[in-house]
Amino acid sequence: MNSPASSYMLFTTGGLRYAVNVDYLGEISEMLPEYPIPQAPRFLRGVVNIHGKLAAVFDLSMYVGTGPVKKGCNLLLLKMPETLLAIVVEQMERMISGDEILSFEPGATTIQLADGTAELLDVELLVDSMEKSFVL
Amino acid sequence: MDMSQYHDLFISEVREHLKSISELVLVLESDHKDRATIDSLFRSAHSVKGMAASMGFKQIAELAHGMENLMDRVRQGLDVDAALFDILLSGESALSSMVDDIENGTGAGRDTADLLAKIAAYDPSDRTASESASAVADARDEVGTAGIETPLAARGESPVFQQTVKIKTTVLDRLLQTTGELVTVKHRLSMTSKSLRNRDFSEAMESLGKYIRELHDQVMAVRLIPLSLITERFPRMIRDLARESGKEVTFSMSGVEIELDRSILELLGDPLAHILRNSLDHGIETPSEREAIGKVSTGRVSISVARDKDQVEIRVQDDGRGIDPDKIASVAVAKGFIPKEKASSLSVEEKLLLICHPGFSTAEKVTGISGRGVGMDVVRTTIQSLSGSMSIESETGKGSTFVLRLPLTVAIINVLLVTAGKLTLAVPLTAVERTLELKSDEIALIDDEEVFFLDEGMVPVVSLSTILDIDTGAQNKDTSPIFIAEIKGRKIGVKVDRLLGNHEVFVKPLPRPLSAFERLSGATVLGDGEVVFIVDILSKTL
């Protein structure tokens, strides 16, 4: 659950900066062979095998429509119960603690930092809406 | 003394005894004078009392003691009638609930005063109330003082070494997962072995394969649990349902010693119970109805289980009124599930399977027994999620049989590997009836649908690429590889680009969000590291 007391990882993809709660962080991996997923929308690029566990590769920039990601990306593995999602990230930036956030409005999707803003990722909401989009 | 370490042991052992009590009461019901059963009932109640008292569960000990006293009175010659069985079964239910409470950490506080009073007052020759009250008091006083057994471990004595040990189910799951990963690694090494062409390596690989197969068989054997574990509650359930509905039923089970993987058994109990409830509610007639049509007044319901290679067939049969396929079809048309013109072209089996359509119910009134028109769709979906299948046989006036076919295990399965476009996909072999290659002139176009003729029947053809929205580019081939699947009682030819052959694979469950794809039931990793999805061809209407 996102809150001002949590710590966040900052990363950029598709030219936008995002913040994700560190509670969801699994690991950062280099790109791995991707295998296509039948019936999947384009933002789910494929599936990867990370240490024997399967994770859907999620192109966040395509999902929000900010354009294709650059080359030389990494995978940021996000974990929740029964959930594993590998986000394609262009650059991992740094970890921030809650007190570095200048403004945190409940329900807001953007947080204010000293050096700019970051889009706050609600991982649970993201997975929910993703699933709704491809239930056929 | 800290007894918490004995909680799990206490719970499992008391449940064993309660299971025995439930079964023994039903045996005694059919033979009121069976001395061996009377003695066994006494001993089971006595054991529960002893274990509960030593663990400090006074209320359980008190109730078990009441039941023990009652059985002792029966041993001394007290007459037995139907009220005794109800009292004992109520006692067993109350004790089970209290054990559940302990397991759930919600304490063991239940009101058992009425039940204890009934136990004490039981006397077919009508004993007086004052004597009954006195008996209750006696029962309470005696708890914790006389005849209480303390487990060996709790007394600090050395237990006798047993030939069996209890293992946590999470350990069993982990064992299976590790074995499955070994199967995947073995496939990888096999591929390397082929390219190396090194004789020593190949021989070592052969041995490795043999030992992994042996390990796999042993792990699977450890995970196998007899079906009786979930069917043991059914005699009691049938008895209670028959009483509630004023019907007379004899219930029998055979082959329930056959073992299935625990992951399958965990999901199978509720579907079986639902089919049985349906048989009682909709199938079996009342005694007067049966007599009026020349049947014996007591109906029959049975479960018979048989193993066929790596599958298990479970038949739930009743000799009730049967299911009228035409009536089912009319209801389906009336509810808008199928168009009228399609109903007339359905086979009898297809019509019967319409009862598994969500929201279907032909019951003229909703009863508390079989629910509110939900259920059979869930039953069928559950069976299919286990890579199994269900069919229904029925003859109006004579009865119905529900046939469930299930694999023994679901974690390591045999699949048919196929390609569709650029994708390699796996189809469980349980869903594949046969494979064949059709020449283009063997496929005809009838009403805009591709079909071919097989064994004098017309089989529709669908393309796996179309089902899964896979782009295959322009296709103009002389032959089409096809596998035949039976879906909802109908044969369907599923066209693929290539048939790659059979393969043994370890099924990995899909995490979210992948698990939301209804046609994908899992995935596996092939020897070259390729991730291949397992297609659930049966789950949705094609």
Side-chain angles (χ1 to χ4, degrees):
Chain A
M1 187 71 183
N2 292 331
S3 79
S6 302
S7 295
Y8 295 86
M9 175 64 84
L10 295 179
F11 67 90
T12 55
T13 190
L16 266 184
R17 178 153 78 162
Y18 294 89
V20 63
N21 193 318
V22 294
D23 290 348
Y24 297 117
L25 289 191
E27 64 177 285
I28 298 159
S29 158
E30 59 185 22
M31 295 304 287
L32 295 165
E34 294 171 21
Y35 301 93
I37 306 164
Q39 293 184 300
R42 289 181 66 205
F43 58 76
L44 280 188
R45 299 190 350 178
V47 63
V48 289
N49 181 2
I50 300 183
H51 314 309
K53 290 195 162 56
L54 305 179
V57 179
F58 177 51
D59 189 335
L60 179 57
S61 65
M62 189 167 285
Y63 186 73
V64 297
T66 52
V69 290
K70 294 174 189 165
K71 288 189 176 173
C73 293
N74 284 311
L75 291 175
L76 174 63
L77 196 68
L78 302 183
K79 288 161 57 166
M80 282 194 309
E82 298 174 5
T83 307
L84 213 49
L85 193 65
I87 296 190
V88 183
V89 298
E90 289 173 345
Q91 193 186 353
M92 297 303 302
E93 202 174 305
R94 64 192 165 92
M95 196 136 81
I96 55 164
S97 60
D99 52 16
E100 290 180 65
I101 301 172
L102 301 179
S103 76
F104 192 111
E105 299 296 326
T109 56
T110 306
I111 53 171
Q112 188 69 48
L113 302 166
D115 61 350
T117 59
E119 301 302 313
L120 190 59
L121 219 53
D122 185 331
V123 182
E124 291 176 36
L125 199 66
L126 180 70
V127 173
D128 278 349
S129 61
M130 206 186 293
E131 288 179 337
K132 279 178 193 148
S133 76
F134 54 69
V135 169
L136 300 169
Chain B
M1 182 179 177
D2 176 19
M3 303 296 284
S4 59
Q5 58 185 311
Y6 302 116
H7 268 214
D8 289 351
L9 189 63
F10 166 78
I11 288 167
S12 79
E13 291 193 352
V14 167
R15 283 203 173 126
E16 285 289 313
H17 284 293
L18 294 180
K19 186 182 88 179
S20 295
I21 289 173
S22 182
E23 289 166 356
L24 291 166
V25 170
L26 299 186
V27 174
L28 192 63
E29 205 170 28
S30 59
D31 181 358
H32 292 193
K33 300 281 181 197
D34 186 340
R35 180 71 195 188
T37 303
I38 292 167
D39 287 343
S40 297
L41 271 167
F42 171 82
R43 281 195 298 272
S44 284
H46 177 76
S47 299
V48 172
K49 176 190 76 176
M51 287 187 286
S54 65
M55 293 294 293
F57 298 122
K58 194 176 173 190
Q59 204 179 22
I60 292 181
E62 194 174 72
L63 180 53
H65 184 61
M67 291 165 69
E68 178 196 1
N69 270 355
L70 179 58
M71 288 317 299
D72 193 36
R73 288 165 59 213
V74 174
R75 290 208 301 188
Q76 306 301 325
L78 182 71
D79 282 342
V80 166
D81 67 4
L84 177 90
F85 309 126
D86 285 338
I87 288 173
L88 290 174
L89 291 175
S90 299
E92 185 270 331
S93 295
L95 290 169
S96 289
S97 302
M98 288 191 272
V99 172
D100 289 346
D101 289 344
I102 292 167
E103 188 174 38
N104 299 331
T106 50
R110 300 251 175 176
D111 184 3
T112 55
D114 284 352
L115 191 52
L116 282 167
K118 276 185 191 167
I119 289 172
Y122 175 75
D123 187 348
S125 61
D126 199 19
R127 201 143 53 101
T128 65
S130 61
E131 285 175 302
S132 305
S134 158
V136 175
D138 289 349
R140 286 186 175 152
D141 289 346
E142 285 177 33
V143 172
T145 55
I148 290 174
E149 285 179 352
T150 307
L152 284 174
R155 292 203 303 262
E157 295 174 17
S158 300
V160 177
F161 284 110
Q162 297 180 342
Q163 293 196 329
T164 56
V165 290
K166 294 188 179 184
I167 299 175
K168 286 190 173 170
T169 53
T170 49
V171 176
L172 288 180
D173 289 345
R174 182 71 198 143
L175 261 177
L176 179 66
Q177 203 181 344
T178 307
T179 311
E181 296 293 355
L182 274 176
V183 171
T184 306
V185 173
K186 183 198 79 178
H187 288 315
R188 277 181 69 184
L189 284 173
S190 293
M191 292 184 75
T192 309
S193 163
K194 278 177 193 159
S195 60
L196 285 177
R197 294 172 187 249
N198 178 305
R199 194 174 164 181
D200 287 346
F201 192 86
S202 298
E203 282 176 5
M205 268 307 304
E206 209 169 298
S207 296
L208 180 68
K210 187 182 134 203
Y211 287 121
I212 289 177
R213 161 58 56 193
E214 202 174 305
L215 175 67
H216 171 222
D217 289 348
Q218 291 298 320
V219 169
M220 294 318 296
V222 169
R223 291 174 55 87
L224 291 175
I225 296 173
L227 197 73
S228 55
L229 200 75
I230 57 168
T231 58
E232 65 199 13
R233 63 186 164 114
F234 293 153
R236 165 85 182 274
M237 185 186 90
I238 294 282
R239 171 195 181 275
D240 291 348
L241 291 176
R243 280 198 152 205
E244 279 172 33
S245 55
K247 294 175 180 175
E248 292 172 8
V249 182
T250 57
F251 178 61
S252 62
M253 296 193 286
S254 64
V256 290
E257 71 283 358
I258 288 173
E259 296 174 316
L260 283 98
D261 191 276
R262 57 176 288 271
S263 59
I264 294 176
L265 274 192
E266 277 171 5
L267 293 174
L268 198 55
D270 287 343
L272 276 177
H274 191 86
I275 294 172
L276 285 171
R277 279 196 295 269
N278 268 349
S279 290
L280 253 291
D281 194 21
H282 305 310
I284 299 295
E285 309 92 335
T286 61
S288 57
E289 284 172 333
R290 290 179 68 89
E291 281 166 4
I293 54 173
K295 285 181 171 178
V296 290
S297 60
T298 303
R300 276 186 290 115
V301 177
S302 66
I303 292 180
S304 55
V305 187
R307 186 171 165 174
D308 179 15
K309 294 177 189 165
D310 59 349
Q311 289 213 312
V312 168
E313 185 179 275
I314 303 171
R315 300 175 72 86
V316 183
Q317 193 164 18
D318 69 66
D319 71 343
R321 53 173 66 91
I323 308 170
D324 181 345
D326 293 326
K327 186 176 175 186
I328 298 294
S330 329
V331 174
V333 171
K335 286 179 179 274
F337 296 153
I338 50 166
K340 194 174 181 182
E341 53 278 18
K342 191 176 178 185
S344 54
S345 68
L346 293 177
S347 66
V348 168
E349 191 179 355
E350 286 171 334
K351 286 177 182 172
L352 291 173
L353 282 173
L354 286 169
I355 64 168
C356 299
H357 195 290
F360 191 97
S361 176
T362 58
E364 283 158 20
K365 60 176 183 178
V366 172
T367 70
I369 294 178
S370 59
R372 298 174 174 272
V374 294
M376 283 312 295
D377 58 324
V378 178
V379 168
R380 192 156 188 239
T381 307
T382 305
I383 299 301
Q384 288 178 337
S385 74
L386 295 168
S387 298
S389 63
M390 186 179 87
S391 60
I392 304 169
E393 299 160 8
S394 189
E395 199 172 340
T396 310
K398 293 196 173 172
S400 305
T401 306
F402 290 77
V403 185
L404 312 181
R405 291 186 69 83
L406 290 152
L408 292 175
T409 172
V410 287
I412 296 175
I413 62 169
N414 286 306
V415 295
L416 172 66
L417 288 180
V418 302
T419 65
K422 290 179 182 169
L423 269 78
T424 304
L425 296 159
V427 182
L429 271 189
T430 48
V432 177
E433 206 167 87
R434 60 190 276 198
T435 60
L436 63 159
E437 297 246 345
L438 291 179
K439 290 180 185 161
S440 51
D441 61 1
E442 289 177 296
I443 299 178
L445 206 60
I446 297 179
D447 294 335
D448 288 336
E449 279 189 20
E450 285 192 317
V451 296
F452 70 100
F453 289 88
L454 180 75
D455 303 332
E456 298 174 1
M458 197 169 71
V459 179
V461 178
V462 293
S463 158
L464 190 59
S465 306
T466 309
I467 296 168
L468 297 176
D469 298 326
I470 298 167
D471 182 15
T472 56
Q475 297 266 313
N476 191 15
K477 293 189 294 186
D478 292 339
T479 57
S480 295
I482 279 182
F483 69 84
I484 294 179
E486 191 170 295
I487 299 168
K488 298 189 177 177
R490 290 179 74 196
K491 283 187 172 56
I492 305 267
V494 183
K495 198 156 64 172
V496 297
D497 289 346
R498 285 171 64 205
L499 296 165
L500 301 179
N502 299 350
H503 212 75
E504 182 189 57
V505 299
F506 173 51
V507 182
K508 287 176 181 288
L510 295 177
R512 291 179 67 201
L514 294 172
S515 54
F517 289 102
E518 287 183 319
R519 288 213 185 277
L520 308 179
S521 61
T524 189
V525 181
L526 299 184
D528 61 359
E530 182 180 4
V531 178
V532 166
F533 285 98
I534 296 163
V535 181
D536 186 358
I537 205 80
L538 304 170
S539 71
K540 298 277 280 185
T541 309
L542 294 177

PDB file of all heavy atoms in Angstrom, chain B residues 462-485:
ATOM      1  N   VAL B 462     -11.684 -26.625 -36.361  1.00  0.00           N
ATOM      2  CA  VAL B 462     -11.365 -25.250 -35.944  1.00  0.00           C
ATOM      3  C   VAL B 462      -9.846 -25.125 -35.937  1.00  0.00           C
ATOM      4  O   VAL B 462      -9.138 -26.122 -35.808  1.00  0.00           O
ATOM      5  CB  VAL B 462     -11.921 -24.910 -34.542  1.00  0.00           C
ATOM      6  CG1 VAL B 462     -13.428 -24.873 -34.531  1.00  0.00           C
ATOM      7  CG2 VAL B 462     -11.400 -25.894 -33.507  1.00  0.00           C
ATOM      8  N   SER B 463      -9.378 -23.918 -36.086  1.00  0.00           N
ATOM      9  CA  SER B 463      -7.937 -23.711 -36.114  1.00  0.00           C
ATOM     10  C   SER B 463      -7.470 -23.198 -34.758  1.00  0.00           C
ATOM     11  O   SER B 463      -8.070 -22.274 -34.188  1.00  0.00           O
ATOM     12  CB  SER B 463      -7.608 -22.693 -37.208  1.00  0.00           C
ATOM     13  OG  SER B 463      -6.362 -22.108 -36.942  1.00  0.00           O
ATOM     14  N   LEU B 464      -6.403 -23.782 -34.237  1.00  0.00           N
ATOM     15  CA  LEU B 464      -5.868 -23.343 -32.942  1.00  0.00           C
ATOM     16  C   LEU B 464      -5.417 -21.883 -33.036  1.00  0.00           C
ATOM     17  O   LEU B 464      -5.568 -21.104 -32.089  1.00  0.00           O
ATOM     18  CB  LEU B 464      -4.699 -24.247 -32.523  1.00  0.00           C
ATOM     19  CG  LEU B 464      -4.183 -24.065 -31.100  1.00  0.00           C
ATOM     20  CD1 LEU B 464      -5.275 -24.321 -30.070  1.00  0.00           C
ATOM     21  CD2 LEU B 464      -3.001 -24.976 -30.811  1.00  0.00           C
ATOM     22  N   SER B 465      -4.900 -21.504 -34.201  1.00  0.00           N
ATOM     23  CA  SER B 465      -4.475 -20.110 -34.398  1.00  0.00           C
ATOM     24  C   SER B 465      -5.656 -19.157 -34.268  1.00  0.00           C
ATOM     25  O   SER B 465      -5.540 -18.083 -33.682  1.00  0.00           O
ATOM     26  CB  SER B 465      -3.861 -19.941 -35.788  1.00  0.00           C
ATOM     27  OG  SER B 465      -2.852 -20.865 -35.985  1.00  0.00           O
ATOM     28  N   THR B 466      -6.792 -19.589 -34.814  1.00  0.00           N
ATOM     29  CA  THR B 466      -7.988 -18.732 -34.726  1.00  0.00           C
ATOM     30  C   THR B 466      -8.460 -18.645 -33.275  1.00  0.00           C
ATOM     31  O   THR B 466      -8.783 -17.563 -32.782  1.00  0.00           O
ATOM     32  CB  THR B 466      -9.116 -19.322 -35.608  1.00  0.00           C
ATOM     33  OG1 THR B 466      -8.584 -19.555 -36.901  1.00  0.00           O
ATOM     34  CG2 THR B 466     -10.303 -18.376 -35.680  1.00  0.00           C
ATOM     35  N   ILE B 467      -8.473 -19.796 -32.591  1.00  0.00           N
ATOM     36  CA  ILE B 467      -8.942 -19.801 -31.200  1.00  0.00           C
ATOM     37  C   ILE B 467      -8.093 -18.858 -30.352  1.00  0.00           C
ATOM     38  O   ILE B 467      -8.595 -18.124 -29.503  1.00  0.00           O
ATOM     39  CB  ILE B 467      -8.846 -21.224 -30.600  1.00  0.00           C
ATOM     40  CG1 ILE B 467      -9.762 -22.185 -31.330  1.00  0.00           C
ATOM     41  CG2 ILE B 467      -9.195 -21.223 -29.119  1.00  0.00           C
ATOM     42  CD1 ILE B 467      -9.502 -23.652 -30.974  1.00  0.00           C
ATOM     43  N   LEU B 468      -6.779 -18.881 -30.607  1.00  0.00           N
ATOM     44  CA  LEU B 468      -5.870 -18.110 -29.752  1.00  0.00           C
ATOM     45  C   LEU B 468      -5.424 -16.796 -30.394  1.00  0.00           C
ATOM     46  O   LEU B 468      -4.500 -16.136 -29.879  1.00  0.00           O
ATOM     47  CB  LEU B 468      -4.638 -18.960 -29.413  1.00  0.00           C
ATOM     48  CG  LEU B 468      -4.902 -20.240 -28.615  1.00  0.00           C
ATOM     49  CD1 LEU B 468      -3.623 -21.042 -28.438  1.00  0.00           C
ATOM     50  CD2 LEU B 468      -5.489 -19.922 -27.252  1.00  0.00           C
ATOM     51  N   ASP B 469      -6.060 -16.411 -31.498  1.00  0.00           N
ATOM     52  CA  ASP B 469      -5.718 -15.144 -32.182  1.00  0.00           C
ATOM     53  C   ASP B 469      -4.223 -15.079 -32.522  1.00  0.00           C
ATOM     54  O   ASP B 469      -3.554 -14.078 -32.233  1.00  0.00           O
ATOM     55  CB  ASP B 469      -6.067 -13.918 -31.313  1.00  0.00           C
ATOM     56  CG  ASP B 469      -7.541 -13.852 -31.036  1.00  0.00           C
ATOM     57  OD1 ASP B 469      -8.313 -14.248 -31.911  1.00  0.00           O
ATOM     58  OD2 ASP B 469      -7.919 -13.428 -29.930  1.00  0.00           O
ATOM     59  N   ILE B 470      -3.712 -16.150 -33.084  1.00  0.00           N
ATOM     60  CA  ILE B 470      -2.288 -16.169 -33.444  1.00  0.00           C
ATOM     61  C   ILE B 470      -2.164 -15.923 -34.947  1.00  0.00           C
ATOM     62  O   ILE B 470      -2.852 -16.578 -35.750  1.00  0.00           O
ATOM     63  CB  ILE B 470      -1.649 -17.528 -33.071  1.00  0.00           C
ATOM     64  CG1 ILE B 470      -1.719 -17.745 -31.562  1.00  0.00           C
ATOM     65  CG2 ILE B 470      -0.206 -17.603 -33.554  1.00  0.00           C
ATOM     66  CD1 ILE B 470      -1.416 -19.154 -31.128  1.00  0.00           C
ATOM     67  N   ASP B 471      -1.301 -14.999 -35.309  1.00  0.00           N
ATOM     68  CA  ASP B 471      -1.103 -14.684 -36.715  1.00  0.00           C
ATOM     69  C   ASP B 471      -0.210 -15.761 -37.338  1.00  0.00           C
ATOM     70  O   ASP B 471       0.930 -15.965 -36.921  1.00  0.00           O
ATOM     71  CB  ASP B 471      -0.452 -13.304 -36.832  1.00  0.00           C
ATOM     72  CG  ASP B 471      -0.273 -12.906 -38.290  1.00  0.00           C
ATOM     73  OD1 ASP B 471      -0.906 -13.551 -39.150  1.00  0.00           O
ATOM     74  OD2 ASP B 471       0.490 -11.956 -38.547  1.00  0.00           O
ATOM     75  N   THR B 472      -0.744 -16.466 -38.341  1.00  0.00           N
ATOM     76  CA  THR B 472       0.054 -17.524 -38.979  1.00  0.00           C
ATOM     77  C   THR B 472       0.475 -17.144 -40.398  1.00  0.00           C
ATOM     78  O   THR B 472       1.125 -17.930 -41.077  1.00  0.00           O
ATOM     79  CB  THR B 472      -0.750 -18.841 -39.049  1.00  0.00           C
ATOM     80  OG1 THR B 472      -1.970 -18.567 -39.726  1.00  0.00           O
ATOM     81  CG2 THR B 472      -1.029 -19.382 -37.682  1.00  0.00           C
ATOM     82  N   GLY B 473       0.075 -15.953 -40.854  1.00  0.00           N
ATOM     83  CA  GLY B 473       0.386 -15.552 -42.214  1.00  0.00           C
ATOM     84  C   GLY B 473      -0.459 -16.344 -43.200  1.00  0.00           C
ATOM     85  O   GLY B 473      -1.388 -17.058 -42.821  1.00  0.00           O
ATOM     86  N   ALA B 474      -0.141 -16.223 -44.488  1.00  0.00           N
ATOM     87  CA  ALA B 474      -0.925 -16.923 -45.514  1.00  0.00           C
ATOM     88  C   ALA B 474      -0.676 -18.426 -45.409  1.00  0.00           C
ATOM     89  O   ALA B 474       0.451 -18.868 -45.224  1.00  0.00           O
ATOM     90  CB  ALA B 474      -0.519 -16.419 -46.892  1.00  0.00           C
ATOM     91  N   GLN B 475      -1.747 -19.206 -45.481  1.00  0.00           N
ATOM     92  CA  GLN B 475      -1.634 -20.662 -45.365  1.00  0.00           C
ATOM     93  C   GLN B 475      -2.169 -21.307 -46.639  1.00  0.00           C
ATOM     94  O   GLN B 475      -3.296 -21.060 -47.036  1.00  0.00           O
ATOM     95  CB  GLN B 475      -2.470 -21.157 -44.172  1.00  0.00           C
ATOM     96  CG  GLN B 475      -1.990 -20.623 -42.847  1.00  0.00           C
ATOM     97  CD  GLN B 475      -1.035 -21.570 -42.162  1.00  0.00           C
ATOM     98  OE1 GLN B 475      -1.266 -22.754 -42.071  1.00  0.00           O
ATOM     99  NE2 GLN B 475       0.077 -21.029 -41.692  1.00  0.00           N
ATOM    100  N   ASN B 476      -1.354 -22.062 -47.281  1.00  0.00           N
ATOM    101  CA  ASN B 476      -1.828 -22.771 -48.457  1.00  0.00           C
ATOM    102  C   ASN B 476      -1.083 -24.098 -48.540  1.00  0.00           C
ATOM    103  O   ASN B 476      -0.168 -24.281 -49.326  1.00  0.00           O
ATOM    104  CB  ASN B 476      -1.580 -21.906 -49.707  1.00  0.00           C
ATOM    105  CG  ASN B 476      -2.285 -22.487 -50.915  1.00  0.00           C
ATOM    106  OD1 ASN B 476      -3.155 -23.339 -50.756  1.00  0.00           O
ATOM    107  ND2 ASN B 476      -1.881 -22.062 -52.105  1.00  0.00           N
ATOM    108  N   LYS B 477      -1.502 -25.011 -47.644  1.00  0.00           N
ATOM    109  CA  LYS B 477      -0.757 -26.255 -47.563  1.00  0.00           C
ATOM    110  C   LYS B 477      -1.587 -27.405 -48.118  1.00  0.00           C
ATOM    111  O   LYS B 477      -2.821 -27.366 -48.114  1.00  0.00           O
ATOM    112  CB  LYS B 477      -0.397 -26.539 -46.098  1.00  0.00           C
ATOM    113  CG  LYS B 477       0.584 -25.525 -45.538  1.00  0.00           C
ATOM    114  CD  LYS B 477       1.093 -25.944 -44.184  1.00  0.00           C
ATOM    115  CE  LYS B 477       0.014 -25.955 -43.132  1.00  0.00           C
ATOM    116  NZ  LYS B 477       0.502 -26.213 -41.798  1.00  0.00           N
ATOM    117  N   ASP B 478      -0.880 -28.430 -48.572  1.00  0.00           N
ATOM    118  CA  ASP B 478      -1.579 -29.595 -49.123  1.00  0.00           C
ATOM    119  C   ASP B 478      -2.208 -30.437 -48.020  1.00  0.00           C
ATOM    120  O   ASP B 478      -3.229 -31.067 -48.220  1.00  0.00           O
ATOM    121  CB  ASP B 478      -0.590 -30.467 -49.912  1.00  0.00           C
ATOM    122  CG  ASP B 478      -0.123 -29.752 -51.166  1.00  0.00           C
ATOM    123  OD1 ASP B 478      -0.843 -28.830 -51.608  1.00  0.00           O
ATOM    124  OD2 ASP B 478       0.961 -30.076 -51.668  1.00  0.00           O
ATOM    125  N   THR B 479      -1.532 -30.449 -46.859  1.00  0.00           N
ATOM    126  CA  THR B 479      -2.071 -31.239 -45.744  1.00  0.00           C
ATOM    127  C   THR B 479      -2.191 -30.372 -44.492  1.00  0.00           C
ATOM    128  O   THR B 479      -1.462 -29.395 -44.327  1.00  0.00           O
ATOM    129  CB  THR B 479      -1.152 -32.436 -45.405  1.00  0.00           C
ATOM    130  OG1 THR B 479       0.154 -31.924 -45.107  1.00  0.00           O
ATOM    131  CG2 THR B 479      -1.080 -33.422 -46.543  1.00  0.00           C
ATOM    132  N   SER B 480      -3.135 -30.746 -43.651  1.00  0.00           N
ATOM    133  CA  SER B 480      -3.337 -30.027 -42.384  1.00  0.00           C
ATOM    134  C   SER B 480      -3.189 -30.995 -41.226  1.00  0.00           C
ATOM    135  O   SER B 480      -3.961 -31.957 -41.114  1.00  0.00           O
ATOM    136  CB  SER B 480      -4.734 -29.415 -42.330  1.00  0.00           C
ATOM    137  OG  SER B 480      -4.870 -28.439 -43.321  1.00  0.00           O
ATOM    138  N   PRO B 481      -2.189 -30.770 -40.351  1.00  0.00           N
ATOM    139  CA  PRO B 481      -2.120 -31.604 -39.146  1.00  0.00           C
ATOM    140  C   PRO B 481      -3.279 -31.254 -38.213  1.00  0.00           C
ATOM    141  O   PRO B 481      -3.602 -30.073 -38.042  1.00  0.00           O
ATOM    142  CB  PRO B 481      -0.783 -31.207 -38.518  1.00  0.00           C
ATOM    143  CG  PRO B 481      -0.088 -30.353 -39.525  1.00  0.00           C
ATOM    144  CD  PRO B 481      -1.134 -29.762 -40.403  1.00  0.00           C
ATOM    145  N   ILE B 482      -3.869 -32.285 -37.651  1.00  0.00           N
ATOM    146  CA  ILE B 482      -5.057 -32.077 -36.809  1.00  0.00           C
ATOM    147  C   ILE B 482      -4.973 -32.982 -35.586  1.00  0.00           C
ATOM    148  O   ILE B 482      -4.486 -34.105 -35.684  1.00  0.00           O
ATOM    149  CB  ILE B 482      -6.329 -32.405 -37.632  1.00  0.00           C
ATOM    150  CG1 ILE B 482      -6.670 -31.192 -38.499  1.00  0.00           C
ATOM    151  CG2 ILE B 482      -7.522 -32.786 -36.764  1.00  0.00           C
ATOM    152  CD1 ILE B 482      -7.902 -31.341 -39.323  1.00  0.00           C
ATOM    153  N   PHE B 483      -5.414 -32.452 -34.456  1.00  0.00           N
ATOM    154  CA  PHE B 483      -5.665 -33.377 -33.342  1.00  0.00           C
ATOM    155  C   PHE B 483      -7.141 -33.319 -33.008  1.00  0.00           C
ATOM    156  O   PHE B 483      -7.786 -32.284 -33.158  1.00  0.00           O
ATOM    157  CB  PHE B 483      -4.771 -33.097 -32.121  1.00  0.00           C
ATOM    158  CG  PHE B 483      -5.052 -31.828 -31.375  1.00  0.00           C
ATOM    159  CD1 PHE B 483      -6.032 -31.761 -30.400  1.00  0.00           C
ATOM    160  CD2 PHE B 483      -4.299 -30.676 -31.629  1.00  0.00           C
ATOM    161  CE1 PHE B 483      -6.270 -30.588 -29.696  1.00  0.00           C
ATOM    162  CE2 PHE B 483      -4.534 -29.501 -30.934  1.00  0.00           C
ATOM    163  CZ  PHE B 483      -5.528 -29.452 -29.961  1.00  0.00           C
ATOM    164  N   ILE B 484      -7.648 -34.472 -32.596  1.00  0.00           N
ATOM    165  CA  ILE B 484      -9.090 -34.539 -32.307  1.00  0.00           C
ATOM    166  C   ILE B 484      -9.293 -34.484 -30.797  1.00  0.00           C
ATOM    167  O   ILE B 484      -8.664 -35.228 -30.040  1.00  0.00           O
ATOM    168  CB  ILE B 484      -9.696 -35.813 -32.901  1.00  0.00           C
ATOM    169  CG1 ILE B 484      -9.594 -35.701 -34.427  1.00  0.00           C
ATOM    170  CG2 ILE B 484     -11.151 -35.993 -32.470  1.00  0.00           C
ATOM    171  CD1 ILE B 484     -10.116 -36.880 -35.170  1.00  0.00           C
ATOM    172  N   ALA B 485     -10.143 -33.563 -30.389  1.00  0.00           N
ATOM    173  CA  ALA B 485     -10.478 -33.431 -28.966  1.00  0.00           C
ATOM    174  C   ALA B 485     -11.973 -33.643 -28.822  1.00  0.00           C
ATOM    175  O   ALA B 485     -12.739 -33.376 -29.761  1.00  0.00           O
ATOM    176  CB  ALA B 485     -10.096 -32.048 -28.469  1.00  0.00           C
TER     177      ALA B 485
END
